Amino acid sequence: MLTLHPVVKTVGLLLLSNVFMTFAWYGHLKNLSNRAWYIAALVSWGIALFEYLLQVPANRIGHTALSLGQLKILQEVIALSVFVPFSIFYMKEGLSWNYLYAALCIAGAVFFIFRG
């Protein structure tokens, strides 16, 4: 039986969680823009349930191997890694230098929080 390291499990669960999160937070802008805001909110809450069903165990597993700060920065790296392709390919928004600048800021955060 294959046993995965807690960080690997955490990354996998957070990736899946962030896919749901991104669709819950931003998917309605494309798919439900002609509906009342409360319809979009209810649909988003339904999608967000799946996010939480993945995110809560991810954080519990991750906290066995990572500090809280490391876990949070890892979450932000994954969130941006999911958001950028979503923005470009699903929402059809252009890639801008701001994504690179944001990634550099997060890379700096990763350096500082994981340096020891």
Side-chain angles (χ1 to χ4, degrees):
M1 179 182 228
L2 179 65
T3 304
L4 297 175
H5 190 276
V7 175
V8 174
K9 289 180 189 177
T10 299
V11 167
L13 288 169
L14 286 176
L15 274 167
L16 293 171
S17 169
N18 272 276
V19 169
F20 284 107
M21 177 196 74
T22 301
F23 274 94
W25 285 19
Y26 304 107
H28 64 88
L29 298 174
K30 180 176 182 178
N31 300 320
L32 299 172
S33 62
N34 60 343
R35 299 290 192 111
W37 71 266
Y38 52 86
I39 299 295
L42 290 172
V43 170
S44 293
W45 284 345
I47 296 169
L49 170 64
F50 295 100
E51 174 210 348
Y52 280 99
L53 291 174
L54 295 165
Q55 178 265 339
V56 170
N59 284 336
R60 287 173 159 245
I61 293 166
H63 198 248
T64 66
L66 300 167
S67 72
L68 192 60
Q70 290 171 329
L71 192 56
K72 179 59 182 170
I73 295 302
L74 179 62
Q75 156 60 30
E76 296 303 329
V77 168
I78 291 170
L80 188 59
S81 299
V82 169
F83 178 77
V84 170
F86 172 85
S87 176
I88 294 167
F89 297 114
Y90 186 76
M91 296 297 288
K92 306 292 187 207
E93 294 203 356
L95 184 62
S96 74
W97 284 103
N98 291 336
Y99 290 123
L100 174 62
Y101 302 142
L104 290 174
C105 290
I106 290 179
V110 169
F111 171 78
F112 287 113
I113 204 74
F114 283 95
R115 71 179 173 156

